[in-house]
Amino acid sequence: MNAVAPVLETRGLVAGYVADVDILHGVDLTVEPGEIVTIVGPNGAGKSTLIRAVIGLLKPRAGAILHRGDEIAGTKPHRVVARGVGYVAQRENVFATLSVEENLELGASALGVDAKPRLPQILELFPRLRERRRQRAGTLSGGERQMLAMARALVAEPDLLLLDEPSAGLSPLFMDAIFDKIREINEAGVPILMVEQNARRALAMSHRGYVLDLGRNRFQGTGADLLHDPKVIPRRHRPHRRVIRSSHRASRLCDRLLGHCARRSGRQRNRMEAV
């Protein structure tokens, strides 16, 4: 019995933007059915470059990109999307002058898909968008626009969703909402490959993760293993007990000084009233 091919696989991927300057230096990665896989690493590590190469926005110089066993390296973006790969860019990922509903319909019509049968299901997943379906996308908050971009990618029922920095620039409240939606989408059966700067939050919800550094694979493993690896996520140091005690003493001293000043001020006021 043949093993099921990974949803996505890169082998020895080399890519860059300027001639003779490579950003990726032989990156290997796999996404299996049902997984959330997160790519983390410092700025300039090549995380977004990898996503752009997969979706076809950047032609690789060497290596392979396989979608369900088929080579797609160098394929035009619209053909990659037509194969079932959804993509949510970090910025400028909605049509600002169109309404929420028009954005969803346009995302489907570009692929020859009728959005109307899917809209109720999509808006059920994103109730905030249902409330704003007639509103222009440009008037939405940053978190709402990110939800709209994700919803538009899902209208065509992709078998893989690529997310480039989904929480970038969002408030803590919307960041929580976006990560909750990512989990819901995955639980509905959509594998996800995500680039994310919030490594702690992303790895905590990921099945597996990869750490890129200077365009090369540095570490890989389960999300939990990487999350608890101090080489990947530095441990947060608790204040030393002595520092905490000193802080408490300083606080008590301040309280006593304030109380002394208040009593002294009261006595002076009484003397003046007596005079």
Side-chain angles (χ1 to χ4, degrees):
M1 186 175 179
N2 294 331
V4 177
V7 179
L8 179 70
E9 185 177 8
T10 69
R11 300 174 184 168
L13 196 63
V14 178
Y17 303 96
V18 180
D20 302 322
V21 179
D22 294 332
I23 303 298
L24 302 178
H25 303 271
V27 173
D28 299 322
L29 172 148
T30 60
V31 179
E32 300 290 346
E35 284 190 318
I36 297 177
V37 175
T38 293
I39 308 168
V40 298
N43 290 334
K47 304 182 298 297
S48 292
T49 300
L50 175 56
I51 291 283
R52 290 172 66 85
V54 170
I55 197 62
L57 293 171
L58 181 64
K59 186 175 181 178
R61 293 169 179 165
I65 304 173
L66 305 177
H67 176 235
R68 297 199 177 275
D70 296 330
E71 175 66 74
I72 61 169
T75 303
K76 296 294 184 183
H78 69 279
R79 296 191 181 279
V80 178
V81 172
R83 285 184 55 92
V85 180
Y87 171 59
V88 179
Q90 180 180 349
R91 296 185 180 90
E92 298 179 357
N93 50 20
V94 299
F95 296 99
T97 59
L98 301 182
S99 71
V100 166
E101 190 168 353
E102 288 168 340
N103 266 271
L104 297 175
E105 291 174 348
L106 185 61
S109 63
L111 298 172
V113 176
D114 184 6
K116 293 193 181 300
R118 286 276 292 159
L119 281 184
Q121 183 180 354
I122 294 295
L123 295 175
E124 183 69 25
L125 180 62
F126 296 94
R128 187 181 290 269
L129 297 182
R130 183 175 56 206
E131 297 167 1
R132 292 160 172 75
R133 61 189 300 171
R134 309 294 183 192
Q135 187 172 328
R136 283 202 311 173
T139 65
L140 300 176
S141 69
E144 290 166 343
R145 285 196 299 271
Q146 192 70 357
M147 289 183 185
L148 176 56
M150 291 167 61
R152 196 178 64 192
L154 292 172
V155 169
E157 299 184 277
D159 63 16
L160 173 65
L161 184 60
L162 309 178
L163 302 176
D164 191 0
E165 303 278 7
S167 74
L170 301 186
S171 68
L173 181 62
F174 270 113
M175 190 180 298
D176 289 343
I178 288 296
F179 281 122
D180 287 344
K181 290 305 173 187
I182 292 170
R183 191 187 302 277
E184 284 185 52
I185 292 166
N186 178 249
E187 289 174 350
V190 181
I192 293 172
L193 177 62
M194 170 170 56
V195 166
E196 180 53 53
Q197 281 289 347
N198 190 336
R200 283 188 174 87
R201 186 68 182 269
L203 290 173
M205 64 186 296
S206 297
H207 298 90
R208 292 187 304 109
Y210 291 84
V211 181
L212 296 189
D213 189 17
L214 297 177
R216 293 179 171 85
N217 291 90
R218 181 76 186 277
F219 303 106
Q220 66 182 61
T222 67
D225 286 346
L226 293 176
L227 182 64
H228 296 101
D229 186 339
K231 296 188 295 294
V232 177
I233 305 292
R235 290 174 180 164
R236 292 170 174 168
H237 296 289
R238 294 181 178 180
H240 194 277
R241 188 175 295 175
R242 185 176 296 173
V243 174
I244 296 174
R245 287 174 178 169
S246 298
S247 176
H248 288 168
R249 290 195 193 101
S251 178
R252 289 197 297 270
L253 179 60
C254 285
D255 288 343
R256 286 199 294 270
L257 286 172
L258 288 171
H260 173 73
C261 290
R263 289 191 296 273
R264 183 175 179 181
S265 176
R267 286 196 296 269
Q268 289 177 342
R269 195 162 49 246
N270 291 339
R271 291 196 197 99
M272 291 178 65
E273 290 174 354
V275 174

